């Protein structure tokens, strides 16, 4: 697990610097170890938290559980109660420790909420190129400005919460660089996006 590696490096005195550039890509889907909610993952988180954090009860375990629940589209009644409780606890913790709501590429951390413009960077491999991208957004019937790679900006009107974008014929760059802005509101949501075609 990556977390174990970073903890071992930090324990040996490694110094880390944040680079504001994409260095790797992660594919998220329900069967991944991260999103599966598998018991092995929780045991590993518990072990690492105890070993490197020196705590009898690693609080990071609760944060991971809240994160997992946030990705479940259909929650049981108990899961809804637990998720709401963990969300409230998280807000209280942020107030107590005066944690700021910083954004990364326009996104609030661990959220689909955007402040102003968001930037999405995706590596692109092989010759297969999609014909269109579909973004699920809120507000659902607002206008959006989108720039894909170095092409000029295009204005789109969301229809029922969806913005459909035809992909450029040629994409010489090795990755997609997408900038998106809601024209009506500074605070908005990019809930998910998908590729369709070829």
């Amino acid at each position: 697990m990556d977390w174990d590696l970073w903890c071992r490096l930090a324990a040996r005195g490694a110094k880390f610097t944040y680079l504001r550039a994409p260095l790797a890509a992660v594919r998220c889907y329900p069967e991944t170890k991260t999103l599966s909610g598998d018991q092995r993952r929780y045991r590993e988180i518990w072990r690492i938290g105890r070993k490197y954090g020196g705590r009898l009860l690693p609080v990071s375990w609760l944060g991971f559980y809240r994160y997992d629940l946030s990705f479940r589209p259909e929650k049981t009644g108990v899961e809804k109660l637990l998720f709401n409780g963990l969300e409230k606890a998280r807000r209280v913790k942020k107030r107590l420790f005066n944690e700021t709501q910083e954004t990364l590429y326009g996104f609030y951390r661990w959220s689909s909420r955007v402040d102003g413009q968001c930037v999405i960077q995706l590596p692109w491999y092989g010759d297969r190129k999609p014909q269109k991208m579909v973004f699920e957004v809120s507000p659902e019937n607002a206008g959006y400005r989108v720039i894909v790679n170095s092409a000029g900006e295009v204005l789109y009107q969301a229809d029922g919460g969806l913005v459909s974008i035809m992909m450029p014929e040629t994409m010489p760059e090795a990755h997609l660089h997408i900038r998106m802005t809601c024209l009506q509101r500074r605070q908005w949501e990019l809930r998910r996006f998908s590729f369709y075609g070829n």
Side-chain angles (χ1 to χ4, degrees), residues 13 104 116 142 148:
L104 187 61
V148 178

Side-chain angles (χ1 to χ4, degrees), residues 139-152:
E140 297 182 351
N141 294 305
Y144 292 85
R145 177 185 302 117
V146 180
I147 303 170
V148 178
N149 287 0
S150 53

Side-chain angles (χ1 to χ4, degrees), residues 74-121:
E74 295 179 22
K75 299 175 185 65
T76 66
V78 171
E79 287 174 338
K80 285 178 185 174
L81 279 171
L82 287 170
F83 180 70
N84 290 334
L86 290 170
E87 279 291 285
K88 286 177 185 169
R90 185 171 176 244
R91 284 194 292 273
V92 169
K93 175 187 164 250
K94 285 180 178 294
R95 273 198 298 264
L96 285 174
F97 293 100
N98 202 21
E99 294 179 9
T100 59
Q101 279 280 340
E102 293 180 22
T103 60
L104 187 61
Y105 302 105
F107 289 96
Y108 287 100
R109 293 178 186 175
W110 310 110
S111 170
S112 59
R113 289 188 312 122
V114 176
D115 181 29
Q117 175 181 256
C118 69
V119 177
I120 304 162
Q121 300 184 72

Side-chain angles (χ1 to χ4, degrees), residues 27-40:
R27 182 173 168 242
C28 291
Y29 53 96
E31 293 79 22
T32 60
K33 185 177 174 184
T34 301
L35 294 181
S36 67
D38 185 88
Q39 294 300 319
R40 289 176 302 146

